[in-house]
Amino acid sequence: MNDSSRLFFTDGNDLRNLRSSNNLHEGRFDEDDLKSVQERVLRSSEDDGICHFLASDEKGAGFCLVVMTPAQKELCQKYYHRGVCIDDTHNPTRYPLKLTTMHVVNGQDRGIPIGDHSKVLKNYLMVSAYMISSSVSSEDVAVLFQCVQKNVPDFYPRFLMSDEASVFWNGYLKVFPERQTKRIWCIWHVIKALGKKAEELLPKDSSELRRTRSWTDFKSSSSKRPSCRLFELRRYLLKR
């Protein structure tokens, strides 16, 4: 290609314009996003891993989509016994939807939350199932675990870790009431809650309170580890 060719001057904006004008969006089957999702569900592709779908009503409520791809199913079967982590985030798209993800960790306890690219997931925290929904109640979470149970009938993790919200644990118990899984809380949420409680309990001018304000700072030095802060708060409360 020489510098007199039109292709020589093509940049990313040109490609985006071509894709938009010719409707070349991969995986998109309609300009209306909801219709596009419905069309994809009707395809019933095994690779899509769509386990459950409920369209929203005329007010936009009730939407629920649960996905567990074959690669995610394999990862869940391999690692779920060590424990699973579940959490949600609000409004990850332009729509008022919530994304709930369930993760497993590999034998090296390494990870960052990423997608379902199986070649990369060997060394990282792995998404084993996720749900996009208009709400995250215990009933919604139960739907997610019902899909997990359908794909992995012997699903029995030793631990289930989440934040302090009860919806994840209650949703799990709705599907697995006889399981002896232990509930544990994410240390980040525990320290955040303790720091907030310390503001209420410790005197405003105390040195203990000034130190507790650094609890949620995970970039602090090793001398300010959370275990030391918990001990200081416990010592203060015992004096009262």
Side-chain angles (χ1 to χ4, degrees):
M1 183 186 304
N2 56 56
D3 56 9
S4 62
S5 170
R6 292 180 61 185
L7 292 178
F8 179 83
F9 298 97
T10 302
D11 60 17
N13 290 327
D14 296 317
L15 297 177
R16 282 190 290 272
N17 291 334
L18 285 171
R19 185 174 62 180
S20 177
S21 61
N22 293 280
N23 196 26
L24 299 176
H25 300 283
E26 184 179 2
R28 189 174 184 182
F29 302 99
D30 195 282
E31 292 186 1
D32 183 286
D33 289 337
L34 179 58
K35 291 181 180 179
S36 178
V37 173
Q38 291 173 327
E39 178 65 28
R40 188 146 192 168
V41 172
L42 290 175
R43 287 180 56 199
S44 300
S45 172
E46 182 180 357
D47 291 337
D48 287 343
I50 298 175
C51 307
H52 175 82
F53 173 69
L54 183 63
S56 57
D57 58 24
E58 62 277 4
K59 296 182 179 180
F63 182 88
C64 184
L65 175 70
V66 180
V67 174
M68 189 180 210
T69 66
Q72 291 171 333
K73 176 182 176 179
E74 181 181 352
L75 293 169
C76 185
Q77 289 174 323
K78 186 175 182 179
Y79 294 112
Y80 77 80
H81 62 280
R82 301 193 64 221
V84 298
C85 310
I86 186 168
D87 200 2
D88 71 320
T89 184
H90 294 199
N91 303 327
T93 70
R94 60 178 175 171
Y95 300 102
L97 298 173
K98 300 174 177 62
L99 172 65
T100 303
T101 55
M102 187 184 78
H103 304 264
V104 293
V105 293
N106 67 1
Q108 298 176 344
D109 291 334
R110 297 178 58 190
I112 55 173
I114 57 177
D116 59 355
H117 305 288
S118 57
K119 292 183 179 179
V120 180
L121 286 175
K122 293 179 180 179
N123 296 318
Y124 294 93
L125 182 68
M126 297 160 281
V127 178
S128 55
Y130 64 88
M131 174 177 69
I132 302 173
S133 56
S134 56
S135 63
V136 181
S137 63
S138 58
E139 289 75 18
D140 297 318
V141 176
V143 172
L144 171 62
F145 280 117
Q146 286 169 355
C147 294
V148 174
Q149 182 187 47
K150 182 178 179 180
N151 282 276
V152 187
D154 59 345
F155 183 75
Y156 188 177
R158 293 176 56 196
F159 304 99
L160 186 145
M161 184 175 73
S162 68
D163 59 20
E164 65 271 22
S166 299
V167 293
F168 300 118
W169 181 245
N170 291 340
Y172 177 80
L173 292 179
K174 287 178 182 291
V175 183
F176 305 102
E178 303 301 325
R179 296 287 195 261
Q180 298 300 312
T181 300
K182 294 182 180 180
R183 180 189 184 187
I184 57 177
W185 288 350
C186 168
I187 186 62
W188 188 90
H189 290 95
V190 171
I191 294 175
K192 182 179 179 181
L194 285 170
K196 182 179 179 180
K197 196 65 177 178
E199 293 281 350
E200 302 174 7
L201 296 178
L202 298 178
K204 298 301 181 182
D205 59 345
S206 71
S207 59
E208 287 88 349
L209 177 57
R210 288 194 295 272
R211 286 193 293 267
T212 57
R213 286 172 179 157
S214 65
W215 284 6
T216 56
D217 184 5
F218 283 92
K219 295 181 181 180
S220 60
S221 65
S222 59
S223 63
K224 297 181 180 179
R225 294 183 63 83
S227 58
C228 300
R229 298 292 173 235
L230 298 182
F231 177 78
E232 291 170 1
L233 178 59
R234 176 178 178 272
R235 182 177 58 185
Y236 173 80
L237 294 176
L238 289 175
K239 291 179 181 179
R240 298 187 63 186

